[in-house]
Amino acid sequence: MFGKLFGKGAGRPVADPHALPVPRRQKNGTYTLRALGDARVLALVEAADAGDWTAVKAALAPFDLGRDHHVLGELADLDGVQDWIGRAVEEDKEHRATALLISGARHVSWGWEARTAERAVNVTQDQWRIFHERLHIAEEHLLQAAELRPEWVTPWRRLLTSGRGMSLGPAVNETRLEAALRRDPLDLETHVEWVSQLQPRWGGESGQALAFARDAFARAPRGHRLGCVIAMAHIEDWVESDHGDCLQTDDIRAELRAAADHSVLHPAYVRRPGWQHDFNMFAMALSLAGERHTVRRVFQALDGAYTGWPWTYFAEPEQQFARRHRRA
């Protein structure tokens, strides 16, 4: 089944020649999105999985890795990249910035894999050591990539994540935020990362993240994916409230509806590779808020496509997605 991935708006999608066939669905009608639903991204992932740097470079041709967080994320989350990317950094001088960026992003993800999602008090000393060793390499490589390609925003967004993990402090992280936003004032991933940074569990104050998200959203053009920052700010508030029913108010439901209509459900919204991640943010936020109408439109657009983030905040993320998809 092709052609339900790209195009403008939330109405009839435009057929896309690069769309992957929808895989076999589970009994509940859902499936896990693979390679952003794009055949070109799948070719990139397969080349990276094989450790074929020449093929990786060829597969990257349609994408701008310095701005495309989703494509970079596919490489950052792929186990095994760390085993060969160092050779590319050392040997390929022409594409060193790209290799450094991939290596840095992979070491950030690899570091967090060692730390795990446990609360800090439950992380062992050995896990902390490995975590910091990997983040140290990530910092070095991302800063070099940013120096070689000063127009790129993706290194700075990843440096926000590593900076938080290494507890570098507000001065360093605020400088990195400013660096990212100078390169793209409307970059969604940078805003979402800062929403996490402003949570009380990372040293922020209650209400800071939502105020930041609302200010960003007020500057977003119609159809821009930055509206997702409102969804993530409310999800983060839900996490901080220890998974209660804090989002189930008329005001929050109205705010989420307005943000969805202004962004992912607006006719000007363009479905690029990874658009399902945007819709999953709204699907989770709207369902947590108990919203019944806009959430249906969001789940209908997804047509069962599940992305791990942000559902991983649940103990059983896939089951939660499937349950809420069924209800909608």
Side-chain angles (χ1 to χ4, degrees), residues 93-110:
K93 303 304 180 184
E94 182 181 355
H95 300 94
R96 190 162 188 264
T98 299
L100 284 164
L101 176 61
I102 295 170
S103 177
R106 174 57 193 150
H107 277 84
V108 172
S109 296
W110 199 32

Side-chain angles (χ1 to χ4, degrees), residues 4-14 223 260-261 263-272 275 279 297 301:
K4 294 195 74 175
L5 291 178
F6 304 107
K8 283 195 173 184
R12 185 184 300 276
V14 177
D261 286 338
S263 57
V264 297
L265 296 178
H266 193 277
Y269 176 83
V270 179
R271 296 185 181 185
R272 296 186 174 90
W275 65 266
F279 276 73
R297 296 169 61 197

Side-chain angles (χ1 to χ4, degrees), residues 107-132 134-135 164-165 201-202 312-313:
H107 277 84
V108 172
S109 296
W110 199 32
W112 284 96
E113 288 168 16
R115 183 202 181 280
T116 75
E118 289 288 337
R119 293 184 179 274
V121 294
N122 298 324
V123 179
T124 69
Q125 287 300 312
D126 194 47
Q127 286 174 312
W128 280 120
R129 178 185 59 79
I130 296 171
F131 177 54
H132 284 101
R134 292 174 181 176
L135 290 192
R164 185 169 76 244
R201 66 183 181 275
W202 292 108
T312 47
Y313 279 131

Side-chain angles (χ1 to χ4, degrees), residues 82-96:
Q82 68 277 359
D83 297 334
W84 57 265
I85 192 62
R87 294 193 300 275
V89 169
E90 294 301 321
E91 297 172 5
D92 191 342
K93 303 304 180 184
E94 182 181 355
H95 300 94
R96 190 162 188 264

Side-chain angles (χ1 to χ4, degrees), residues 73-308:
E74 291 293 305
L75 298 173
D77 294 337
L78 185 62
D79 188 30
V81 167
Q82 68 277 359
D83 297 334
W84 57 265
I85 192 62
R87 294 193 300 275
V89 169
E90 294 301 321
E91 297 172 5
D92 191 342
K93 303 304 180 184
E94 182 181 355
H95 300 94
R96 190 162 188 264
T98 299
L100 284 164
L101 176 61
I102 295 170
S103 177
R106 174 57 193 150
H107 277 84
V108 172
S109 296
W110 199 32
W112 284 96
E113 288 168 16
R115 183 202 181 280
T116 75
E118 289 288 337
R119 293 184 179 274
V121 294
N122 298 324
V123 179
T124 69
Q125 287 300 312
D126 194 47
Q127 286 174 312
W128 280 120
R129 178 185 59 79
I130 296 171
F131 177 54
H132 284 101
E133 285 176 356
R134 292 174 181 176
L135 290 192
H136 179 77
I137 295 172
E139 290 263 319
E140 181 181 348
H141 286 188
L142 289 169
L143 287 169
Q144 289 182 52
E147 183 177 1
L148 288 170
R149 296 297 299 269
E151 75 278 14
W152 283 356
V153 66
T154 47
W156 294 105
R157 180 263 166 177
R158 296 281 169 172
L159 283 164
L160 283 172
T161 310
S162 61
R164 185 169 76 244
M166 295 186 74
S167 302
L168 298 183
V172 171
N173 287 324
E174 286 170 10
T175 298
R176 292 175 174 185
L177 172 68
E178 292 167 2
L181 295 182
R182 278 199 306 272
R183 287 154 177 81
D184 186 350
L186 300 177
D187 185 66
L188 172 61
E189 280 72 18
T190 297
H191 284 84
V192 167
E193 191 66 34
W194 198 247
V195 162
S196 293
Q197 179 73 54
L198 293 175
Q199 296 306 313
R201 66 183 181 275
W202 292 108
E205 297 179 6
S206 180
Q208 268 189 311
L210 191 54
F212 171 78
R214 285 169 174 162
D215 178 69
F217 177 56
R219 294 180 277 107
R222 293 186 182 278
H224 197 284
R225 56 194 295 263
L226 184 56
C228 297
V229 75
I230 294 292
M232 278 311 306
H234 283 299
I235 290 172
E236 290 282 6
D237 277 357
W238 172 77
V239 173
E240 287 288 340
S241 72
D242 203 20
H243 302 184
D245 59 359
C246 64
L247 302 190
Q248 297 191 12
T249 72
D250 289 341
D251 287 346
I252 290 176
R253 283 190 283 267
E255 182 171 36
L256 287 168
R257 280 194 295 268
D261 286 338
H262 187 90
S263 57
V264 297
L265 296 178
H266 193 277
Y269 176 83
V270 179
R271 296 185 181 185
R272 296 186 174 90
W275 65 266
Q276 297 91 339
H277 289 268
D278 298 349
F279 276 73
N280 269 263
M281 284 187 252
F282 270 110
M284 181 170 168
L286 287 161
S287 62
L288 286 172
E291 204 279 336
R292 296 184 178 182
H293 304 289
T294 303
V295 71
R296 184 177 301 117
R297 296 169 61 197
V298 170
F299 273 113
Q300 284 175 342
L302 281 170
D303 194 29
Y306 160 80
T307 61

